Amino acid sequence: MTEPIRLSAAAMSSALAAGELSSEELTRAHLDRIDAVDNDLNAFLHVSADLALKTARDVDARRAAGEQLAPLAGVPIAVKDVVVTEGLPTTAGSKILEGWIPPYDATLVAKLREAGLPVLGKTNMDEFAMGSSTETSAFGVTRNPWGRDRIPGGSGGGSSAAVGSFEAPLAIGTDTGGSIRQPAAVTGTVGVKPTYGSVSRYGLIAMASSLDQAGPCTRTVEDAALLHEVIAGHDPHDSTSLPDPVPNFREAARRRDVKGLRIGVIEELEGDGFAPGVSARFQESLAQLEQAGAEIVRVSCPNFQYALGAYYLILPSEASSNLAKFDGMRFGLRVVPEDHPTAEKVMAATRGEGFGFEVKRRILLGTYALSAGYYDAYYGSAQKVRTLVQRDFADAFAKVDVLASPTAPTVAFRFGEKTDDPLAMYMNDIATIPANLAGVPGISVPSGLAEDDLPAGIQFLAPAREDARLYHVGGALEALLEDAWGGSLLDRAPELTGGAR
Ligand code: GLN
């Protein structure tokens, strides 16, 4: 039998239901895997072994007693450290929150606990989810399981690395501009940014509230569908939460047949700026879908070229406001200067020491963009661009069912390659940001190996509330490619326990 940790979450769930495996065994196997590889990878900031095992034993006992359990009951999961967890440290990758233990669970964590998923621990991330490489974490970098000198993507590099290295079958990420999809692309895993409002934001440490959305990080499309069903749903604690019932995503992920499905290729997200290998895998993926009966058409979204610029005004504006609460008075770190400390001096010293460079840059940018006299020129203009991007989507979705582009412009780059050039770093999200500006859902699915034999991803986007289309087209492509490859991309990953490639 395949080693339990290498199974998909769906297969784990069947094995648990059939009594071939206990959740305690499965959870222990993952904790052992974390012990074996995480010193090297640093995907986890905190491992909650005792709590995970307790949940596992509880699920096993309930199953033995004949209780009807949720499909993913007993399947362990890792949670990005930007999501608050009662009794477990939560830092958002920042020194300013070191030592803080939240007194409550985020809604999505409460849902995980209710469904019986043992929480293995909290995963590393760029500080306050600002970045594309996990290099801005205050707690060291996370390494890409495909190459130890490579970034695992960001901001959710801990979650993508944990899933890609079989430390966890499932993880939670958050995507404000691409932080679920881009890490998935560069680690050969699957990542979904749900429709804005589909998953409650209550208990996420907010970066940009109008853009943030939590979602699944997994190894298969069906696993993402299963996890999405657990965490989605209306939440009265989040005023932007949608009232819709949760669709059957799993069924969509198993549909396969793509005959007549119209897929629009976004002209503005092709060619220049995309690595040749990434573009080639993208074209091959489209060819597979076309051969299976999908219709590939080209569409233009002319305002997407302004999306990155608008994002880097809207995001810092909202972040500068959201991060004002970290002032040394309420949470985590407090730095008290020696000479007659006033409240203001304590705040300044705490923020000076507690925040890293990228966070400070964005707070300054946002404060400037929102200041009197500049507000209309910067924040106001960015909001107008946002409307234009939304119109581009509306026009495109009048012609096609889903849109497609490469997820990230390149494969995983090396540590340090882009740290001195914020614009180069920001360009990683050129293809993912439009979805956040419009609130529409997106999925990244592995498209094959590109430059340096490293994974690349293809992204599909759907209209708001049509997340099921992503599972349909993503599941179909995954099946077609796996047939062509004779297995999953991760089967071709280097031996993940042994050193560099
Ligand atoms: N890389 C983007 C940024 O730095 C996206 C981050 C995210 O989605 N959390 O803002």
Side-chain angles (χ1 to χ4, degrees), residues 129-132 155 175-179 207 311-312 315 362 429:
M130 298 178 185
S132 301
S155 63
D175 192 311
T176 304
S179 286
M207 168 154 72
Y311 173 87
Y312 276 102
L315 176 137
R362 295 197 192 189
D429 296 313

PDB file of all heavy atoms in Angstrom, residues 129-132 155 175-179 207 311-312 315 362 429, ligand 1:
ATOM      1  N   ALA A 129       1.500  38.767   5.467  1.00  0.00           N
ATOM      2  CA  ALA A 129       1.115  38.312   4.112  1.00  0.00           C
ATOM      3  C   ALA A 129       1.574  39.268   3.017  1.00  0.00           C
ATOM      4  O   ALA A 129       0.968  39.339   1.954  1.00  0.00           O
ATOM      5  CB  ALA A 129      -0.390  38.047   4.026  1.00  0.00           C
ATOM      6  N   MET A 130       2.648  40.009   3.290  1.00  0.00           N
ATOM      7  CA  MET A 130       3.179  40.944   2.293  1.00  0.00           C
ATOM      8  C   MET A 130       4.419  40.347   1.644  1.00  0.00           C
ATOM      9  O   MET A 130       5.509  40.384   2.221  1.00  0.00           O
ATOM     10  CB  MET A 130       3.553  42.267   2.951  1.00  0.00           C
ATOM     11  CG  MET A 130       2.361  42.971   3.571  1.00  0.00           C
ATOM     12  SD  MET A 130       2.865  44.485   4.362  1.00  0.00           S
ATOM     13  CE  MET A 130       1.309  44.996   5.111  1.00  0.00           C
ATOM     14  N   GLY A 131       4.244  39.798   0.441  1.00  0.00           N
ATOM     15  CA  GLY A 131       5.385  39.243  -0.264  1.00  0.00           C
ATOM     16  C   GLY A 131       5.002  38.091  -1.156  1.00  0.00           C
ATOM     17  O   GLY A 131       3.851  37.640  -1.156  1.00  0.00           O
ATOM     18  N   SER A 132       5.974  37.628  -1.939  1.00  0.00           N
ATOM     19  CA  SER A 132       5.736  36.529  -2.882  1.00  0.00           C
ATOM     20  C   SER A 132       6.768  35.429  -2.715  1.00  0.00           C
ATOM     21  O   SER A 132       6.953  34.609  -3.606  1.00  0.00           O
ATOM     22  CB  SER A 132       5.815  37.052  -4.323  1.00  0.00           C
ATOM     23  OG  SER A 132       4.862  38.051  -4.527  1.00  0.00           O
ATOM     24  N   SER A 155       2.546  34.942  -0.248  1.00  0.00           N
ATOM     25  CA  SER A 155       3.006  34.921   1.121  1.00  0.00           C
ATOM     26  C   SER A 155       2.852  33.566   1.812  1.00  0.00           C
ATOM     27  O   SER A 155       3.513  33.315   2.816  1.00  0.00           O
ATOM     28  CB  SER A 155       2.247  35.979   1.926  1.00  0.00           C
ATOM     29  OG  SER A 155       0.849  35.676   1.954  1.00  0.00           O
ATOM     30  N   ASP A 175      -5.319  34.673   0.292  1.00  0.00           N
ATOM     31  CA  ASP A 175      -4.937  35.224  -1.003  1.00  0.00           C
ATOM     32  C   ASP A 175      -5.490  36.638  -1.109  1.00  0.00           C
ATOM     33  O   ASP A 175      -6.699  36.826  -1.205  1.00  0.00           O
ATOM     34  CB  ASP A 175      -5.521  34.298  -2.093  1.00  0.00           C
ATOM     35  CG  ASP A 175      -4.977  34.569  -3.483  1.00  0.00           C
ATOM     36  OD1 ASP A 175      -4.970  35.744  -3.888  1.00  0.00           O
ATOM     37  OD2 ASP A 175      -4.598  33.593  -4.175  1.00  0.00           O
ATOM     38  N   THR A 176      -4.592  37.608  -1.061  1.00  0.00           N
ATOM     39  CA  THR A 176      -4.967  39.018  -1.164  1.00  0.00           C
ATOM     40  C   THR A 176      -4.627  39.534  -2.559  1.00  0.00           C
ATOM     41  O   THR A 176      -5.273  40.432  -3.088  1.00  0.00           O
ATOM     42  CB  THR A 176      -4.214  39.829  -0.086  1.00  0.00           C
ATOM     43  OG1 THR A 176      -4.503  39.261   1.186  1.00  0.00           O
ATOM     44  CG2 THR A 176      -4.609  41.295  -0.099  1.00  0.00           C
ATOM     45  N   GLY A 177      -3.552  38.928  -3.126  1.00  0.00           N
ATOM     46  CA  GLY A 177      -3.142  39.301  -4.478  1.00  0.00           C
ATOM     47  C   GLY A 177      -2.558  38.107  -5.214  1.00  0.00           C
ATOM     48  O   GLY A 177      -2.022  38.248  -6.303  1.00  0.00           O
ATOM     49  N   GLY A 178      -2.611  36.935  -4.568  1.00  0.00           N
ATOM     50  CA  GLY A 178      -2.067  35.739  -5.223  1.00  0.00           C
ATOM     51  C   GLY A 178      -1.435  34.753  -4.270  1.00  0.00           C
ATOM     52  O   GLY A 178      -0.895  33.725  -4.685  1.00  0.00           O
ATOM     53  N   SER A 179      -1.503  35.011  -2.975  1.00  0.00           N
ATOM     54  CA  SER A 179      -0.725  34.243  -1.990  1.00  0.00           C
ATOM     55  C   SER A 179      -1.142  32.800  -1.775  1.00  0.00           C
ATOM     56  O   SER A 179      -0.476  32.076  -1.040  1.00  0.00           O
ATOM     57  CB  SER A 179      -0.732  34.964  -0.650  1.00  0.00           C
ATOM     58  OG  SER A 179       0.109  36.079  -0.727  1.00  0.00           O
ATOM     59  N   MET A 207      -5.008  42.097   6.169  1.00  0.00           N
ATOM     60  CA  MET A 207      -4.035  42.959   5.488  1.00  0.00           C
ATOM     61  C   MET A 207      -4.836  44.003   4.722  1.00  0.00           C
ATOM     62  O   MET A 207      -4.792  45.169   5.045  1.00  0.00           O
ATOM     63  CB  MET A 207      -3.141  42.158   4.552  1.00  0.00           C
ATOM     64  CG  MET A 207      -2.340  43.076   3.640  1.00  0.00           C
ATOM     65  SD  MET A 207      -0.802  42.417   3.037  1.00  0.00           S
ATOM     66  CE  MET A 207      -1.325  41.206   1.853  1.00  0.00           C
ATOM     67  N   TYR A 311      -3.545  47.973  -7.372  1.00  0.00           N
ATOM     68  CA  TYR A 311      -3.426  47.103  -6.194  1.00  0.00           C
ATOM     69  C   TYR A 311      -2.441  47.702  -5.191  1.00  0.00           C
ATOM     70  O   TYR A 311      -2.701  47.720  -3.988  1.00  0.00           O
ATOM     71  CB  TYR A 311      -2.963  45.720  -6.656  1.00  0.00           C
ATOM     72  CG  TYR A 311      -2.632  44.725  -5.573  1.00  0.00           C
ATOM     73  CD1 TYR A 311      -3.621  43.923  -5.010  1.00  0.00           C
ATOM     74  CD2 TYR A 311      -1.313  44.555  -5.135  1.00  0.00           C
ATOM     75  CE1 TYR A 311      -3.302  42.981  -4.034  1.00  0.00           C
ATOM     76  CE2 TYR A 311      -0.992  43.624  -4.161  1.00  0.00           C
ATOM     77  CZ  TYR A 311      -1.984  42.837  -3.611  1.00  0.00           C
ATOM     78  OH  TYR A 311      -1.668  41.909  -2.657  1.00  0.00           O
ATOM     79  N   TYR A 312      -1.297  48.202  -5.686  1.00  0.00           N
ATOM     80  CA  TYR A 312      -0.280  48.733  -4.759  1.00  0.00           C
ATOM     81  C   TYR A 312      -0.605  50.134  -4.257  1.00  0.00           C
ATOM     82  O   TYR A 312       0.217  50.772  -3.614  1.00  0.00           O
ATOM     83  CB  TYR A 312       1.126  48.590  -5.349  1.00  0.00           C
ATOM     84  CG  TYR A 312       1.623  47.175  -5.050  1.00  0.00           C
ATOM     85  CD1 TYR A 312       1.612  46.176  -6.017  1.00  0.00           C
ATOM     86  CD2 TYR A 312       1.985  46.822  -3.758  1.00  0.00           C
ATOM     87  CE1 TYR A 312       1.984  44.877  -5.711  1.00  0.00           C
ATOM     88  CE2 TYR A 312       2.351  45.521  -3.435  1.00  0.00           C
ATOM     89  CZ  TYR A 312       2.352  44.559  -4.412  1.00  0.00           C
ATOM     90  OH  TYR A 312       2.708  43.272  -4.094  1.00  0.00           O
ATOM     91  N   LEU A 315      -4.059  48.266  -1.655  1.00  0.00           N
ATOM     92  CA  LEU A 315      -3.573  47.383  -0.585  1.00  0.00           C
ATOM     93  C   LEU A 315      -2.850  48.167   0.525  1.00  0.00           C
ATOM     94  O   LEU A 315      -3.214  48.038   1.692  1.00  0.00           O
ATOM     95  CB  LEU A 315      -2.677  46.282  -1.153  1.00  0.00           C
ATOM     96  CG  LEU A 315      -2.069  45.408  -0.051  1.00  0.00           C
ATOM     97  CD1 LEU A 315      -2.118  43.956  -0.416  1.00  0.00           C
ATOM     98  CD2 LEU A 315      -0.671  45.826   0.324  1.00  0.00           C
ATOM     99  N   ARG A 362       4.964  49.592   3.220  1.00  0.00           N
ATOM    100  CA  ARG A 362       3.558  49.641   2.798  1.00  0.00           C
ATOM    101  C   ARG A 362       2.732  50.559   3.697  1.00  0.00           C
ATOM    102  O   ARG A 362       1.794  51.205   3.232  1.00  0.00           O
ATOM    103  CB  ARG A 362       2.973  48.230   2.742  1.00  0.00           C
ATOM    104  CG  ARG A 362       3.654  47.407   1.663  1.00  0.00           C
ATOM    105  CD  ARG A 362       2.868  46.189   1.284  1.00  0.00           C
ATOM    106  NE  ARG A 362       3.668  45.289   0.473  1.00  0.00           N
ATOM    107  CZ  ARG A 362       3.191  44.221  -0.137  1.00  0.00           C
ATOM    108  NH1 ARG A 362       1.929  43.904  -0.024  1.00  0.00           N
ATOM    109  NH2 ARG A 362       3.983  43.458  -0.869  1.00  0.00           N
ATOM    110  N   ASP A 429       2.874  38.718  -9.138  1.00  0.00           N
ATOM    111  CA  ASP A 429       1.420  38.615  -8.998  1.00  0.00           C
ATOM    112  C   ASP A 429       0.668  39.281 -10.136  1.00  0.00           C
ATOM    113  O   ASP A 429      -0.535  39.515 -10.033  1.00  0.00           O
ATOM    114  CB  ASP A 429       0.992  39.231  -7.660  1.00  0.00           C
ATOM    115  CG  ASP A 429       1.559  38.462  -6.498  1.00  0.00           C
ATOM    116  OD1 ASP A 429       1.458  37.230  -6.522  1.00  0.00           O
ATOM    117  OD2 ASP A 429       2.123  39.082  -5.584  1.00  0.00           O
TER     118      ASP A 429
HETATM  119  N1  GLN B   1       2.420  39.083  -3.156  1.00  0.00           N
HETATM  120  C1  GLN B   1       1.298  39.957  -2.983  1.00  0.00           C
HETATM  121  C2  GLN B   1       1.649  41.039  -2.011  1.00  0.00           C
HETATM  122  O1  GLN B   1       2.754  41.094  -1.605  1.00  0.00           O
HETATM  123  C3  GLN B   1       0.106  39.179  -2.544  1.00  0.00           C
HETATM  124  C4  GLN B   1       0.083  38.907  -1.108  1.00  0.00           C
HETATM  125  C5  GLN B   1      -1.095  38.102  -0.666  1.00  0.00           C
HETATM  126  O2  GLN B   1      -1.883  37.619  -1.475  1.00  0.00           O
HETATM  127  N2  GLN B   1      -1.236  37.995   0.627  1.00  0.00           N
HETATM  128  O3  GLN B   1       0.846  41.840  -1.653  1.00  0.00           O
END
